[in-house]
Amino acid sequence: MDAGLSGFDWLAETFQATELRVAITVAAACLLIAVLLFYRRLQAWISNRSRPLYGDIASTVVLIGTCLFSLVIVLGVWGQTDEIYELSDRLDLSGAVVAQAIVSFILIVGSFIVMRFVKRVLDEVLGSASAVTDHQREVTHRVSQVIIWSVALVMILGVWIDDLGGLLVGAGFLGIVVGMAAQQVLGTVLAGFVLMFARPFEIGDWIEVEDNQGIVTDISIVNTRIRSFDGEYIMIPNDVISSSMVTNRSKRGRLRVEIDVGVDYDADIERAAELAEETIDDLERPLSAPGPQVITKQLGDSSVVLGVRFWIDKPSARRYMQTQTAAINAIKETFDEEGIGIPYPQRELSSRPDTDVPLAGVGATPDGTSSADEENGGTEYQMTEPEDR
């Protein structure tokens, strides 16, 4: 090491002018910056003509070599090699320490190379799988990074520490204590990994969780963020999502819309259902397959309730509301043109003939009964008095 550094002492004697030393220092810095900017191109060039692993190794060697060369040149020009020697003596850096430092440096560089290689393999393997999303590939890459760096850290500690087993045992107990103290956080993190790989929903899906619904904007290992239709951003912990019922309205790429339409009892129900179905067929947004369907749902208090069902593709809240509004307006217009009434709620009040219960405020009619109509909020009341005894 001393011989290697002392071989550049002649630079300080050759370039004694401060201007020349500054110029050489700037040139060394520019060389290093140029390598930092173009070493990826070098890596791509070598990878295209040979194996990608060779490109990673060659570009890393060029980058590290340039860094060391620039450092040695700058130290030699400014005559700082003696300072390095004195620092080494004060710190008692023996040959064993230097060897350990070199091995640790090699392990760090090797970890970078292995990490790139693993990322490339994951991209090639998972990139061809249509069932794996970009988000899942990113999560897999992050997990592989954590594993690689953990192994590298253990190996580096093994180089510097003799009793590594005792250290690992202590770290294990510390991990148990931390895990018990952070059960909620760990549960949330585990739930986040389950959500990422189970894929109940993805970014951009329209979901409903308990009383919250909106568009998924981000999925992390801690929480899921959705944007509600009011423009609010809602952050839901992943453990809450994993323990709740989640409705994904855009999972299949289509969504059914249902509208309840009340028809007068005097109207032709089959004709009304046929008109409603033809009206939906004439709209642009509903899908033709499966086609619209009209069913008789119930005999209501004031009307026969028809259920008008149809499907839309690319479901979203805006598309859902626009299609529903267009369908309601079109059905109302068609029924008005065909003379089919959509009655408002009605209620008839009367008393039994064999009871003596008078209805107040009711006048007698020629047939012995009386009636009164009262409109209150769209409700019609008809009342009949009991016959005179």
Side-chain angles (χ1 to χ4, degrees):
M1 177 178 175
D2 296 349
L5 289 175
S6 60
F8 290 89
D9 288 343
W10 57 272
L11 292 175
E13 299 177 357
T14 304
F15 304 100
Q16 297 181 358
T18 304
E19 294 80 1
L20 292 178
R21 293 181 177 181
V22 172
I24 294 175
T25 303
V26 172
C30 292
L31 175 63
L32 180 59
I33 294 174
V35 172
L36 289 174
L37 293 176
F38 293 100
Y39 86 100
R40 290 190 179 275
R41 297 185 181 181
L42 175 64
Q43 175 189 359
W45 185 81
I46 298 176
S47 299
N48 293 332
R49 288 162 177 76
S50 61
R51 296 182 178 180
L53 181 60
Y54 296 160
D56 292 339
I57 296 175
S59 60
T60 304
V61 170
V62 170
L63 180 61
I64 295 175
T66 305
C67 292
L68 294 177
F69 177 77
S70 301
L71 178 62
V72 171
I73 290 295
V74 172
L75 291 176
V77 166
W78 293 97
Q80 297 296 317
T81 54
D82 293 338
E83 297 293 335
I84 299 297
Y85 298 153
E86 293 178 0
L87 179 63
S88 176
D89 293 337
R90 288 197 301 268
L91 297 177
D92 194 17
L93 299 179
S94 60
V97 175
V98 174
Q100 290 174 337
I102 294 175
V103 172
S104 300
F105 181 76
I106 293 175
L107 288 174
I108 294 175
V109 174
S111 299
F112 274 108
I113 297 175
V114 172
M115 189 171 57
R116 289 183 182 178
F117 176 76
V118 171
K119 183 179 184 301
R120 188 176 294 108
V121 171
L122 291 176
D123 291 340
E124 293 178 357
V125 173
L126 301 180
S128 59
S130 58
V132 181
T133 63
D134 295 337
H135 191 72
Q136 289 175 330
R137 284 196 293 269
E138 183 66 21
V139 172
T140 305
H141 173 58
R142 296 302 181 188
V143 172
S144 65
Q145 281 184 326
V146 172
I147 295 175
I148 292 172
W149 282 115
S150 299
V151 174
L153 178 61
V154 172
M155 296 176 65
I156 293 174
L157 291 176
V159 172
W160 293 92
I161 301 175
D162 295 333
D163 188 12
L164 184 60
L167 179 63
L168 294 179
V169 170
F173 280 112
L174 179 61
I176 294 175
V177 173
V178 173
M180 294 179 63
Q183 292 182 3
Q184 184 70 23
V185 176
L186 292 178
T188 303
V189 172
L190 292 177
F193 280 106
V194 171
L195 289 178
M196 290 176 184
F197 289 96
R199 297 178 59 191
F201 51 81
E202 300 175 4
I203 295 177
D205 285 355
W206 172 16
I207 67 171
E208 180 178 355
V209 182
E210 295 182 345
D211 296 333
N212 301 309
Q213 63 174 328
I215 306 300
V216 180
T217 59
D218 185 32
I219 306 173
S220 66
I221 62 175
V222 178
N223 51 57
T224 297
R225 301 174 186 174
I226 63 175
R227 185 182 69 251
S228 68
F229 304 128
D230 296 331
E232 300 174 339
Y233 280 87
I234 304 173
M235 185 180 301
I236 307 176
N238 289 331
D239 57 342
V240 174
I241 295 178
S242 62
S243 60
S244 303
M245 184 173 62
V246 180
T247 302
N248 191 337
R249 300 185 183 275
S250 55
K251 180 70 173 179
R252 298 180 58 188
R254 63 181 185 180
L255 181 66
R256 193 182 75 176
V257 182
E258 182 170 353
I259 302 172
D260 291 341
V261 181
V263 179
D264 196 347
Y265 273 95
D266 295 333
D268 186 349
I269 304 302
E270 294 184 357
R271 176 59 178 166
E274 182 180 351
L275 289 174
E277 185 173 340
E278 291 176 356
T279 301
I280 298 300
D281 277 331
D282 294 337
L283 298 179
E284 297 181 358
R285 293 182 183 273
L287 295 175
S288 58
Q293 181 184 18
V294 180
I295 63 172
T296 303
K297 298 185 66 174
Q298 63 177 341
L299 298 176
D301 295 337
S302 306
S303 63
V304 180
V305 180
L306 302 179
V308 183
R309 301 173 177 177
F310 55 91
W311 294 82
I312 59 174
D313 61 348
K314 301 177 182 178
S316 64
R318 174 178 294 181
R319 190 177 180 85
Y320 179 89
M321 297 303 297
Q322 289 177 349
T323 307
Q324 185 184 53
T325 301
I328 292 175
N329 294 339
I331 292 174
K332 175 65 168 59
E333 182 178 356
T334 301
F335 280 11
D336 289 343
E337 293 175 354
E338 298 293 331
I340 299 177
I342 304 178
Y344 51 81
Q346 299 178 358
R347 180 175 299 171
E348 180 177 324
L349 303 178
S350 63
S351 63
R352 294 181 179 179
D354 56 348
T355 61
D356 191 12
V357 180
L359 297 178
V362 179
T365 59
D367 58 354
T369 62
S370 60
S371 62
D373 296 335
E374 180 183 354
E375 294 184 0
N376 185 8
T379 303
E380 179 182 359
Y381 299 91
Q382 182 168 351
M383 297 165 285
T384 304
E385 287 186 345
E387 296 181 358
D388 296 336
R389 296 184 179 178

